[in-house]
Amino acid sequence: MKQLFLALIFIPQLAFSQLKYQGAELGLEPYIGFSNVGGALGGELKYAARLSENLLVGPSFRVQRIWSNNLGMQSQMTTWGGGVFAHLRYQEKIFGGVEFQYLKSPFSFANPQQVVRPWSATLMVGGGFYLKLGDKIRLNAALFYDVINAPNSPFRSSYSFKIKNEYGQVVRILPIIYRLTFFIPLDQH
């Protein structure tokens, strides 16, 4: 037991001892979505510390205005909150990432009449393409899977991967979301 405890303390220190701050980037993720029953408008701001040529970590902040007219029931809310993320870029072409956010979202997209906790956790895992759009702008175009998939996740209305039965009825919606994030280097790197 003592060896396990020591390993849990020293292994992360050894793994991160090779990493040093090499600059920073500012990430901007605009979001807009509309349907016949509502929509959302907002975005996310990320501060990315570059710990190696390919590893970025940092905090994030999201704000999003959502409105709905589902089955004649009108509702509006503003979702906001913060989180942390880590992205690993590979050969300046693709990247993988993990993003955790804790968002104030007192609305259930699964059942609008259900009273839910006012805060929702999301844990997105995914990846996609990493593109340089010149010297000062980078673009991440990715798909992320929400591992937690909370009933009051503000991203539920954006899940667009649907599984249908033989009659064409939607029987399941996968918690997959696309993201476009622009990163702007804050240094000369």
Side-chain angles (χ1 to χ4, degrees):
M1 184 62 137
K2 189 187 277 186
Q3 290 85 1
L4 177 62
F5 179 73
L6 290 172
L8 290 175
I9 291 174
F10 289 112
I11 288 176
Q13 290 178 356
L14 291 172
F16 287 107
S17 66
Q18 302 298 316
L19 302 174
K20 296 180 181 166
Y21 178 79
Q22 294 187 5
E25 297 183 16
L26 185 64
L28 303 169
E29 180 186 306
Y31 178 80
I32 187 167
F34 296 100
S35 75
N36 58 350
V37 294
L41 178 66
E44 181 176 15
L45 181 65
K46 295 179 179 175
Y47 175 80
R50 211 171 28 252
L51 298 183
S52 73
E53 186 65 29
N54 298 315
L55 178 62
L56 287 85
V57 298
S60 64
F61 178 76
R62 175 175 295 279
V63 65
Q64 191 166 307
R65 183 74 175 158
I66 300 168
W67 61 93
S68 174
N69 187 13
N70 195 6
L71 301 174
M73 295 179 53
Q74 294 184 357
S75 62
Q76 297 180 29
M77 70 175 183
T78 300
T79 296
W80 60 274
V84 294
F85 72 96
H87 289 177
L88 183 63
R89 295 172 177 163
Y90 180 71
Q91 294 186 353
E92 296 192 8
K93 293 181 180 150
I94 60 173
F95 83 99
V98 175
E99 301 182 358
F100 174 80
Q101 290 184 330
Y102 201 58
L103 304 169
K104 184 164 175 109
S105 178
F107 183 78
S108 173
F109 288 95
N111 182 356
Q113 301 199 357
Q114 176 184 8
V115 176
V116 295
R117 298 180 348 189
W119 290 87
S120 173
T122 64
L123 179 61
M124 302 287 190
V125 178
F129 296 102
Y130 165 71
L131 308 165
K132 285 189 175 182
L133 304 177
D135 290 339
K136 289 291 182 182
I137 298 179
R138 279 60 167 148
L139 173 67
N140 285 1
L143 290 176
F144 279 91
Y145 181 87
D146 187 356
V147 175
I148 296 174
N149 193 19
N152 62 332
S153 171
F155 301 118
R156 272 189 177 256
S157 64
S158 301
Y159 299 158
S160 56
F161 293 89
K162 298 175 172 77
I163 298 173
K164 297 181 179 183
N165 64 13
E166 63 272 8
Y167 305 110
Q169 298 168 323
V170 175
V171 294
R172 186 169 176 213
I173 299 174
L174 300 176
I176 298 173
I177 191 168
Y178 67 90
R179 289 209 166 146
L180 296 174
T181 308
F182 297 92
F183 281 94
I184 303 164
L186 299 176
D187 52 16
Q188 297 300 322
H189 189 309

